[in-house]
């Protein structure tokens, strides 16, 4: 295929590198930063640079912030070849799939929103890695009228660059689940590092500290946007977390050893049950209820 990747940051750059390393597809790049494009060319990560004309591509991967996706697609869809598939990597879907689906359909172009569940605490092209997606999860959010062949082609593309488990779901359920599995963890990590004793942690910390704080170095521009666009679902998860945390605080304040033991045992059991479900889960999961 001829593939265009728009936005060569962490995810877009990693897509280009993975395509170059693991496939025979032709890969082209589009980015507002000319230096990044030149670097990608010098490293033979992309085969060419696209500025405005987006014709002749089988697949276009839009790796931009959610707010920028509709703007870019609206500005360039008229130059796309009929039958082209456009996908994205946005961490929040909202009404993007429906809005972009209608816009693209008017130009005989297919739009299928997706979300690669992979990342790092660092960002930008310099952090991109051809192995970022190895064994990772990939979420697809087709609309009711999305052709099955389009879903299959995007899934196949993702499989070729390393993804191994796929979830096909609605944009609404995607956002509800991502609030719990991704965004809440970032909020907790950001809040966790605000204890004043963090200045003294060197020599006192181990794996649990590093696991909890790794993603506190997130990109504040992107994550502020993601949190605000999904704030209703994120608020719901924050309320649940605060209620659960308050249970631990209450039994500690009361010196209730038995109740504390029960809370810890319940958390352990729930995690073990979830690990068992993960081991038994199929490689393709369909959850289409909204």
């Amino acid at each position: 295929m001829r593939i265009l990747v728009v936005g060569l940051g962490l995810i877009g750059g990693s897509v280009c590198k993975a395509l170059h390393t693991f496939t025979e597809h032709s890969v082209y790049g589009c980015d507002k930063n000319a230096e990044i494009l030149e670097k990608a060319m010098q490293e033979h990560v992309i085969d060419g640079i696209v500025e405005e004309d987006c014709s002749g591509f089988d697949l276009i991967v839009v790796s931009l912030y959610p707010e920028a996706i509709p703007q870019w697609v609206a500005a360039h869809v008229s130059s796309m070849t009929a039958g082209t598939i456009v996908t994205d990597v946005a961490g929040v879907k909202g009404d993007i799939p429906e809005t972009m689906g209608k816009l693209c359909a008017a130009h005989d172009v297919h739009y299928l929103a997706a979300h690669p569940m992979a990342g790092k605490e660092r960002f930008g092209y310099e952090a991109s890695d051809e192995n970022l997606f190895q064994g990772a999860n990939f979420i697809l959010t087709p609309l009711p009228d999305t052709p099955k062949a389009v879903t299959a082609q995007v899934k196949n593309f993702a499989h070729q660059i390393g993804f191994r488990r796929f979830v096909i779901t609605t944009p609404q359920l995607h956002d509800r689940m991502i609030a719990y599995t991704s965004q809440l963890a970032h909020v907790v990590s950001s809040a966790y590092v605000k204890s004043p004793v963090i200045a003294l942690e060197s020599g006192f910390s181990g794996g649990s500290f590093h696991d909890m704080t790794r993603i506190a170095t997130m990109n504040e521009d992107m994550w502020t946007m993601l949190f605000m666009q999904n704030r209703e679902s994120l608020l719901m998860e924050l309320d649940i977390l605060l209620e659960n945390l308050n249970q631990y605080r209450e039994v500690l304040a009361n010196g209730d050893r038995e109740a504390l033991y029960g809370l810890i045992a319940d958390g352990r059991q729930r995690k073990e049950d979830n690990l068992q479900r993960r081991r038994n889960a199929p490689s393709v999961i369909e959850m289409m209820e909204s």
Side-chain angles (χ1 to χ4, degrees), residues 83-212:
T84 296
I85 297 174
V86 179
T87 188
D88 66 51
V89 301
V92 172
K93 298 308 174 190
D95 60 1
I96 290 176
E98 185 173 356
T99 301
M100 291 299 93
K102 291 178 181 178
L103 175 63
C104 288
H107 294 83
D108 295 320
V109 171
H110 302 290
Y111 193 94
L112 173 55
H115 186 186
M117 294 302 294
K120 292 181 179 180
E121 63 273 21
R122 296 179 294 122
F123 50 91
Y125 179 79
E126 294 297 332
S128 61
D129 180 356
E130 66 268 20
N131 293 309
L132 182 65
F133 310 125
Q134 295 303 306
N137 299 330
F138 191 84
I139 306 173
L140 303 100
T141 61
L143 298 170
D145 59 352
T146 302
K148 291 188 181 297
V150 170
T151 302
Q153 190 160 341
V154 175
K155 175 180 172 293
N156 185 53
F157 146 78
H159 189 271
Q160 290 177 348
I161 60 175
F163 292 95
R164 290 299 176 263
R165 177 166 290 169
F166 301 88
V167 175
I168 301 173
T169 189
T170 63
Q172 296 80 12
L173 186 55
H174 167 275
D175 289 356
R176 176 70 182 86
M177 291 303 301
I178 290 303
Y180 172 65
T181 63
S182 176
Q183 294 180 342
L184 183 64
H186 284 76
V187 171
V188 172
S189 184
S190 182
Y192 182 79
V193 298
K194 294 178 181 179
S195 169
V197 299
I198 193 172
L200 307 174
E201 68 82 18
S202 182
F204 289 89
S205 57
S208 56
F209 175 84
H210 296 294
D211 289 344
M212 281 288 294

Side-chain angles (χ1 to χ4, degrees), residues 5 25 40 52 108 119-120 130 140 171 230 234 239-240 273 290:
V5 178
H25 302 309
E52 295 295 334
D108 295 320
K120 292 181 179 180
E130 66 268 20
L140 303 100
N230 203 28
L234 183 54
D239 287 341
I240 293 171
D273 290 345
S290 61

